[in-house]
Structures are given as structure tokens and as C-alpha cells.
Amino acid sequence: MKRLLTFGLPVLAIIAVLIYWYLDSEVESQSQPMSALEKIGDECDLISEKAAMHLSEALPFQKLEKAGRRARVLEDCMYDRAYIENPAWAKFAQPQVQKNVQTQQLSYNEAYENLRRKDMLKFKAVKDEPPYWVMPQKQSK
């Protein structure tokens, strides 16, 4: 009886923890399905990361070159999958860009590009902010 308590109880405890962990992970994975934009965005982000992986970042200009390559490849990938930059996002970004120009002592174009590169990686909907990527409206003839 003592052996049963010594070896059986820890084994049962480990089995109970494993069952709890398995069931908990299933609940988390079923909580919210990914939208089409999130799936395509993740694919394109991975493609852009792979495209810029071989570039070194030893010098400051090389970091900018790598960030530019990632942004261009991501943008091309999203365009290939029929997503475009949201015109509403561009209007929404103008006040933020103006604020960044004043606070960070940047040119307007540099501040806009920094914000654009940051927001183009957001594929989930953010409250009170238009998405960066949208599907174009089909024009009727």
C-alpha cells in the first residue's frame, strides 16, 4: 500500500497535469479563427523576412536597407494577393506624422515612412484605427 502511494500518486498527478494542459491548449487554439487578412499577412511577413534574412546589419545604412527590403517585399506580396493600402489609413496617419515631425525632428517623408512600415505589419483590427490593408472595392460597369 505504501508503494502504491509513493509511486502511484505522483504518476496520477503527472497524468492529471498533462490532461489539463492538453485540454487548455485546445480551448486557446479554438478561441478565435484567423481572418483572411491575418493569414495572408502572416504568409507575406514570413516571405519578406526570408527575403531580407541574408542581408547583414553591421552598419546603420544596412539596417535601413534591410528594413526597406522587407517593406518592399511585404508590399509586393500583399499587392499580389489583391490587398492595397487603405486610403482612409493615409488620412488617419497625417496628424500622427505631423506630431512625429515636430517631436522627433524628422522630415515629413521619413516620419510617414516609419509609421507606414510599422502599421503595414498590423494585420489584426485595432479599435479606433483604420486597417492599413484593404481589399479594393469592385467597380461596377
Side-chain angles (χ1 to χ4, degrees):
M1 183 70 174
K2 196 172 189 179
R3 280 188 179 208
L4 181 63
L5 289 176
T6 306
F7 295 109
L9 219 49
V11 170
L12 286 176
I14 291 172
I15 291 172
V17 168
L18 290 175
I19 290 172
Y20 174 77
W21 174 74
Y22 175 75
L23 294 175
D24 189 49
S25 66
E26 276 190 5
V27 170
E28 287 179 11
S29 66
Q30 295 175 357
S31 61
Q32 285 188 357
M34 291 178 72
S35 68
L37 175 61
E38 290 173 331
K39 287 178 186 175
I40 290 173
D42 284 347
E43 289 173 10
C44 288
D45 188 32
L46 181 63
I47 290 169
S48 70
E49 197 171 305
K50 286 181 179 180
M53 188 183 322
H54 69 282
L55 298 174
S56 63
E57 294 186 53
L59 301 171
F61 80 89
Q62 290 173 326
K63 291 178 183 178
L64 293 174
E65 187 178 85
K66 188 172 185 174
R69 168 83 56 94
R70 278 195 72 197
R72 184 181 52 79
V73 170
L74 177 74
E75 194 170 23
D76 289 345
C77 181
M78 293 299 284
Y79 288 156
D80 289 345
R81 286 156 176 80
Y83 281 91
I84 61 169
E85 181 180 298
N86 187 358
W89 177 88
K91 290 178 185 174
F92 171 80
Q94 285 178 350
Q96 288 182 311
V97 170
Q98 290 294 341
K99 187 175 118 182
N100 290 348
V101 165
Q102 294 171 351
T103 59
Q104 298 175 1
Q105 303 295 317
L106 301 172
S107 69
Y108 181 85
N109 290 337
E110 185 177 2
Y112 182 80
E113 189 65 22
N114 289 342
L115 185 62
R116 188 177 84 84
R117 286 181 182 174
K118 184 182 78 165
D119 283 358
M120 74 171 31
L121 293 172
K122 293 179 183 175
F123 302 113
K124 288 188 178 186
V126 178
K127 189 176 181 181
D128 300 331
E129 187 175 319
Y132 183 85
W133 298 107
V134 293
M135 289 284 251
Q137 298 289 333
K138 297 204 178 196
Q139 297 177 356
S140 59
K141 293 182 180 181

